[in-house]
Amino acid sequence: MSTDVTIQVEPSGPYISSLASYVNDARDFRDAAQSALGAVTAAAADMAANKTATDAARLATEAASTAAAASAASALGAKDNAASAAVAAASVVLTHDRYRNQLDDWRALLVPERPSLFQRFTDSTYFARDRVVTSDFPVFLAATNGAFTRASGATALDSAGKLIEFAAGSPRVTDRGLLMEGGGTNLIRNPRCEGAAAGSPGTLPTYMSGSATSNGISRQVVGTGVENGVPYVDVRYAGTSVSAGRIILIIFAASGSIAAAAGETFTASFYSRIVAGSVANLSYIRLEVLGSSADGSETETPAGANIVDGGITKTTVTHAIASLAYVVPRLAISTGSGIAVDFTVRIGAPQLEKYPFATSPILPPVGSPAQATRVGDRVVSTRTSPAALSKAIRGRPAPTNTTQVLWQADDGTSNNMIRVRRNGVGDVYATAVIASVTVLDVRIGAVADNAEFRLAFRWAANDFTASLNGATVVTNTAAAMPAGLVNERLGHATGGNEWFGTIRDNHEWPILHTNGNLQTLSTL
């Protein structure tokens, strides 16, 4: 088996050339091992090839030392340039090897054709035939006539539960995939929990309130910090309850500050953890969204959810009373009379939004507590209008009661397009529109909320076939292929309908896969 590419670095110097030679020798050795010496030796060769990054650092250090006779500035420049070139070369090698390994897996399953487009977001592997191999998604988009836009900062959780903040215009790629969401506003003004001061009772974060002592239970603000990227405040509650009933611990937004109307839906969420003591003797400790009338009286029993110890607590509420004027997000406990209470709760990134589900935390800039807004994510690529193609897509949808568009190709409008969408009850459809007339609308299967799925399909004139999660293919042979499909979109349609979920894989072939290949691809 021969290597597919040879690493070349320009301008070439002795150390960078040595790196290129090392990389190519290692890959040749691996290929030879795969052919002649078996999987064990091949695995060892893979390990040798993966040492590229270590050798890159060594070569960069050597390159810097050769400039010792020059000025300090020249030496620093030589080191930085050599290091950058070495790391870039190593990154290309490792990315291409991940791509080649996937091709090997597909060939073993009798899917021999090479894709023209390969996007695997979970390990940042991107390939476009004859154009680019890279681990950098923005670089990939620039090389393939694509663009990502989001005119605000945003956050995403990785698979370890760490909250990562992304700057405006930066795609949210983690080891969970590419997160695509619509716009939204966090109606709680201080999700970073800023302005708190430790003490007994201490000072709660700015814009939050709560009694120093209620029903025999006293408050102590322990402190603030950041855990797994989540800003938080720790608050201790201790004492013996005087009587049975509910005790309001923290009000996240002042009464009357979050306007509401009958029939509106809100979802509250926050990170919660019991960091000391126990809540076992409480009837509940929960996140609530209280509905109130204009005069401040409660209009109905607040809906809520018991907190998750060490995770995200969320509750969705629709208050239907006609006199509803505002809502109040808060944390409350319920206890019997004479109950000893002593626990410390960690509260991080509280959020209230007008969605029927919780989206990623929306945070204002550090030091500027205020209601913050996230703009929707957009990925659009310019392409040649396909007469035929095959796709393999893997993702996970958020719960929603509206249409979600995962993938679409169009002429810049909704008048001529093909798309894959999921409706409000979880059914997945393929739709084609020609001159504003729907010519194809085929149900492929169903995907549950937050459930990962794998979809493979082929699309040509009078030939649409798809398999969802390895199921028997669904076929339609009665619809023409729209013309002028020069835009490809991930995660949304031209008129909205955001995906609100993660996309893990987006691969394309310029040929029509067999039914068997589609079923195979939809199981990987």
Side-chain angles (χ1 to χ4, degrees):
M1 184 187 303
S2 61
T3 57
D4 289 337
V5 299
T6 299
I7 298 301
Q8 295 179 334
V9 181
E10 297 293 343
S12 61
Y15 297 101
I16 304 307
S17 296
S18 295
L19 172 63
S21 177
Y22 169 83
V23 170
N24 290 318
D25 287 348
R27 292 173 62 181
D28 287 342
F29 175 65
R30 183 197 61 186
D31 288 341
Q34 288 174 332
S35 298
L37 302 179
V40 174
T41 306
D46 266 330
M47 292 176 64
N50 289 338
K51 287 176 59 182
T52 300
T54 301
D55 275 33
R58 176 181 59 78
L59 289 169
T61 301
E62 292 178 5
S65 68
T66 63
S71 67
S74 297
L76 182 61
K79 176 182 178 181
D80 289 345
N81 290 339
S84 297
V87 170
S91 177
V92 169
V93 170
L94 297 178
T95 302
H96 193 272
D97 282 350
R98 289 195 299 267
Y99 164 69
R100 280 164 35 105
N101 289 340
Q102 179 65 80
L103 294 187
D104 289 343
D105 291 343
W106 284 340
R107 291 187 188 107
L109 295 171
L110 304 180
V111 184
E113 297 86 355
R114 291 176 58 193
S116 54
L117 172 72
F118 184 100
Q119 296 176 333
R120 191 167 63 200
F121 296 98
T122 51
D123 62 4
S124 296
T125 304
Y126 312 107
F127 167 84
R129 185 176 294 177
D130 302 324
R131 280 182 284 180
V132 63
V133 176
T134 181
S135 61
D136 189 317
F137 186 49
V139 169
F140 175 85
L141 288 175
T144 55
N145 301 316
F148 173 88
T149 58
R150 188 190 60 250
S152 72
T155 68
L157 291 169
D158 66 13
S159 61
K162 181 180 179 181
L163 185 68
I164 303 171
E165 295 191 44
F166 294 83
S170 177
R172 291 181 283 173
V173 178
T174 71
D175 59 355
R176 298 176 66 184
L178 171 66
L179 178 59
M180 300 290 293
E181 294 180 303
T185 298
N186 186 355
L187 301 172
I188 294 175
R189 292 184 284 178
N190 190 12
R192 292 189 184 274
C193 300
E194 296 174 323
S200 298
T203 303
L204 290 172
T206 305
Y207 301 127
M208 300 184 194
S209 62
S211 298
T213 301
S214 179
N215 196 23
I217 309 301
S218 297
R219 182 192 80 217
Q220 176 189 357
V221 176
V222 178
T224 59
V226 177
E227 180 178 41
N228 287 335
V230 178
Y232 67 81
V233 61
D234 285 344
V235 187
R236 180 186 180 192
Y237 294 92
T240 300
S241 60
V242 175
S243 61
R246 178 192 290 119
I247 303 173
I248 308 304
L249 301 183
I250 294 181
I251 298 173
F252 294 111
S255 295
S257 65
I258 300 177
E264 286 188 322
T265 297
F266 295 83
T267 295
S269 60
F270 74 145
Y271 175 82
S272 52
R273 187 158 75 85
I274 303 301
V275 296
S278 172
V279 296
N281 56 349
L282 301 179
S283 299
Y284 64 70
I285 173 171
R286 71 186 188 187
L287 176 65
E288 298 180 338
V289 180
L290 172 72
S292 294
S293 61
D295 62 6
S297 61
E298 296 182 13
T299 58
E300 58 184 320
T301 301
N306 287 332
I307 71 164
V308 177
D309 188 1
I312 301 295
T313 299
K314 51 192 173 184
T315 182
T316 299
V317 179
T318 301
H319 289 297
I321 284 194
S323 60
L324 186 70
Y326 59 90
V327 292
V328 180
R330 66 191 192 184
L331 182 64
I333 62 173
S334 178
T335 184
S337 177
I339 301 298
V341 173
D342 191 350
F343 66 91
T344 301
V345 60
R346 177 160 294 172
I347 298 166
Q351 181 152 302
L352 184 71
E353 53 194 317
K354 288 187 178 181
Y355 273 126
F357 54 92
T359 70
S360 60
I362 304 172
L363 304 176
V366 173
S368 302
Q371 290 186 354
T373 296
R374 177 192 61 237
V375 178
D377 302 280
R378 299 287 184 265
V379 176
V380 182
S381 298
T382 302
R383 61 169 302 148
T384 301
S385 182
L389 57 77
S390 295
K391 300 282 292 188
I393 298 174
R394 183 180 177 187
R396 183 185 299 270
T400 181
N401 57 2
T402 60
T403 295
Q404 300 165 289
V405 175
L406 169 61
W407 175 87
Q408 178 171 311
D410 59 56
D411 66 351
T413 73
S414 58
N415 300 330
N416 297 281
M417 66 177 182
I418 56 177
R419 65 163 53 157
V420 177
R421 63 182 175 87
R422 177 177 179 262
N423 67 16
V425 296
D427 293 324
V428 178
Y429 281 80
T431 303
V433 176
I434 298 177
S436 301
V437 176
T438 299
V439 297
L440 175 70
D441 200 35
V442 176
R443 183 182 182 276
I444 302 170
V447 176
D449 293 343
N450 293 315
E452 185 170 285
F453 71 90
R454 298 162 178 84
L455 171 66
F457 60 84
R458 68 172 184 257
W459 214 320
N462 304 315
D463 184 5
F464 172 81
T465 301
S467 175
L468 179 64
N469 295 329
T472 301
V473 297
V474 175
T475 299
N476 182 283
T477 59
M481 185 75 161
L485 306 182
V486 295
N487 294 313
E488 179 178 13
R489 307 176 192 270
L490 292 180
H492 78 289
T494 53
N497 306 124
E498 285 85 356
W499 178 242
F500 281 106
T502 50
I503 300 173
R504 294 174 58 95
D505 298 278
N506 175 36
H507 311 315
E508 182 173 317
W509 292 260
I511 50 88
L512 297 178
H513 276 305
T514 65
N515 292 359
N517 282 354
L518 294 176
Q519 283 189 278
T520 296
L521 289 168
S522 68
T523 62
L524 300 177

